[in-house]
Amino acid sequence: MSDYQKHLKERKQDPAFAAEYDALEAQYAFAKLVIAARTQQGLTQAELAARVGTSKANIFKLEHGVLNPSLEMA
């Protein structure tokens, strides 16, 4: 188990932290799927942005869990 995993396991003992972490789980899972699909297709963030009709900055934010995408964007 990595240091990160150990730290996360300890932090998740705090109910408030665990609730916030779990609330973001779906958003981060979606971001991981977008990154995997984009890289598998050999696309840059700019190329994906052009295909989806958004900005490169929004793709960056989406992939880093900062942007919660609309259903339309997803």
Side-chain angles (χ1 to χ4, degrees), residues 22-68:
D22 291 343
L24 294 172
E25 186 174 358
Q27 186 173 335
Y28 284 118
F30 182 72
K32 287 178 185 178
L33 288 173
V34 170
I35 293 167
R38 179 179 64 76
T39 56
Q40 185 179 36
Q41 294 294 314
L43 297 173
T44 65
Q45 289 178 340
E47 290 168 332
L48 177 59
R51 287 187 181 192
V52 206
T54 192
S55 67
K56 179 185 173 205
N58 279 344
I59 298 299
F60 176 87
K61 291 175 186 176
L62 178 107
E63 290 185 357
H64 287 84
V66 179
L67 174 71
N68 192 3

Side-chain angles (χ1 to χ4, degrees), residues 4-21:
Y4 170 76
Q5 290 170 327
K6 288 177 188 175
H7 177 72
L8 181 59
K9 186 176 179 180
E10 289 173 14
R11 291 287 292 142
K12 285 181 117 182
Q13 297 301 313
D14 175 4
F17 177 87
E20 289 294 322
Y21 183 88

